[in-house]
Amino acid sequence: MKKGLLLIGLVAAMATTMTVSCSRDNDEFGSGVVVAQKSNLTITLSGKDVSSYKNVEIEIQEVNTGAVTKYTFVNEAAHTLELPYGSYKVIANGEVIMVSLDQLQVGGTANVDINTATSNVLVNLQIKQFSKDFIIEEVFFTGIKTPDNKNYNNSRYFKLVNNTDKVLYADNLIISGSEFFTTVKRVITPYNVEEYFPIANMMVLTGTGTQYHVQPGDFIVVADNATDHRPSNGFNLQNADFEFPNTNPSLGQVDNPAVPNAKIVFTKMTFNMIFLYTTSQEAYVIARFPAGENPDTFIQNYKYTYSYTNSAGNTTTVNSYKIPNTWIVDAVNTSRDADFLHIITGASLDAGYTSASPGYSGKTVRRKIVGQTANGKNIYKDTNNSATDFTRDSQSSLINGIVR
């Protein structure tokens, strides 16, 4: 019996030895060192409307071992690397040049299992050129002609978009128009465009602070009168998010009870009006009250009195208000090429101007689209230069109503 057990044990040991030997097909000259199998992995970058991949860093991580390989694409769309068999996550971040010649930040990820001599993976890049807050997507100020060729002064609007990658709240957002014009230049005292923005009006969107949330890529419309203006050749603004109606009977303003009214904090016009000039000559800003500030403290603390020498040689003194530049989250200057004299915002807020003309033409200024998010929302150009960020003399985006 003991001999039988000994024989069985010996056979088992030989079988084990043979199995181990067979598993070492990759031993180098029987050294006992296993050589890992490798693959030539070709990584290809892809992005909509991308002209060239200026500088894109790739990080390739093997998910089981955590081993990381890095490579930087410089003006190339594909590259081949030799990597051991395994399961990999590919992460891309960098800068590309679009067909529009814009240089934008992009990012993307992909996963690939490598188990053959050659492998391929496609990394789809998404634009991640996000702003920090709402930006002005469109302003309609030119006005329109009615069917009987009369000037129609209603149906103006601001369209503001969440150009970030997070939820924003429209509550307490400030919208203001400029005190000065881009087409008129005087020696104003005091005046420091790099510190503050003198205003002719201010409205504040109402809300509790977290009442009106706006998802990334979505927009709000703030209309002068949230009604259907199509009978007068205007736009259907019934579904606006806010409105700023006035009490001027000659304009036929009707308050839409279904749409919350913006609070008019300050205006120089009668009938509580905020009026957008039909000719390109104003600047518009959106801003936020910092902690401790609100409409009441603004009226108390941010008065702006200035003076200039008028055409008769006398001194004119004017009382108004000013918004500190540090409050402003976006700005757009408008002007007319033949009449342009100066930018009326700080250069860091807006370094150029856009235009829509002539008056009562129905044209608007609209911000350019540079790409889309993974879920199909537009991403808008935001370089703080309206000359390149906006398309002049555009057709209204609301020609078919407010479609979300």
Side-chain angles (χ1 to χ4, degrees), residues 182-351:
T182 58
T183 55
V184 177
K185 191 171 185 179
R186 300 185 176 105
V187 178
I188 304 293
T189 305
Y191 182 44
N192 189 338
V193 71
E194 299 299 336
E195 290 188 5
Y196 49 80
F197 178 73
I199 61 172
N201 51 64
M202 174 188 282
M203 60 176 149
V204 175
L205 305 186
T206 54
T208 61
T210 55
Q211 186 174 351
Y212 299 106
H213 67 275
V214 183
Q215 295 292 330
D218 288 346
F219 64 86
I220 60 171
V221 174
V222 184
D224 65 348
N225 187 213
T227 190
D228 189 352
H229 299 274
R230 287 178 295 180
S232 300
N233 279 346
F235 310 113
N236 184 358
L237 304 179
Q238 292 179 97
N239 296 323
D241 300 275
F242 297 90
E243 65 176 347
F244 52 102
N246 61 68
T247 58
N248 188 344
S250 67
L251 292 179
Q253 291 277 21
V254 179
D255 192 355
N256 183 344
V259 177
N261 287 353
K263 179 179 180 179
I264 308 302
V265 176
F266 164 68
T267 179
K268 288 192 166 184
M269 302 191 74
T270 57
F271 301 107
N272 212 35
M273 287 179 61
I274 290 183
F275 185 80
L276 281 62
Y277 281 80
T278 58
T279 52
S280 298
Q281 61 190 41
E282 292 183 288
Y284 309 102
V285 302
I286 53 177
R288 296 275 193 187
F289 290 112
E293 300 286 1
N294 56 53
D296 293 334
T297 61
F298 175 80
I299 292 298
Q300 292 172 6
N301 301 326
Y302 294 92
K303 293 181 174 65
Y304 175 54
T305 299
Y306 66 91
S307 62
Y308 63 91
T309 301
N310 59 36
S311 58
N314 299 318
T315 298
T316 297
T317 300
V318 182
N319 295 314
S320 190
Y321 288 87
K322 61 184 178 183
I323 299 176
N325 284 358
T326 54
W327 296 15
I328 296 173
V329 298
D330 194 37
V332 54
N333 284 269
T334 70
S335 196
R336 305 180 298 274
D337 292 339
D339 302 314
F340 171 74
L341 293 175
H342 62 146
I343 296 295
I344 51 179
T345 61
S348 64
L349 299 175
D350 192 16

Side-chain angles (χ1 to χ4, degrees), residues 5-82:
L5 290 173
L6 181 60
L7 180 59
I8 292 171
L10 179 60
V11 171
M14 291 174 63
T16 302
T17 304
M18 290 174 64
T19 302
V20 172
S21 297
C22 290
S23 70
R24 290 183 177 176
D25 291 339
N26 292 321
D27 280 10
E28 188 173 342
F29 305 112
S31 64
V33 178
V34 178
V35 178
Q37 291 181 287
K38 292 187 176 183
S39 173
N40 289 321
L41 173 66
T42 299
I43 303 170
T44 302
L45 305 179
S46 177
K48 185 179 179 181
D49 297 326
V50 173
S51 174
S52 64
Y53 303 90
K54 183 179 179 181
N55 191 295
V56 180
E57 183 176 282
I58 298 289
E59 181 178 290
I60 311 156
Q61 183 179 44
E62 209 289 315
V63 297
N64 298 303
T65 65
V68 173
T69 302
K70 293 184 178 181
Y71 179 78
T72 301
F73 285 73
V74 179
N75 297 322
E76 58 180 330
H79 187 79
T80 300
L81 296 170
E82 188 180 63

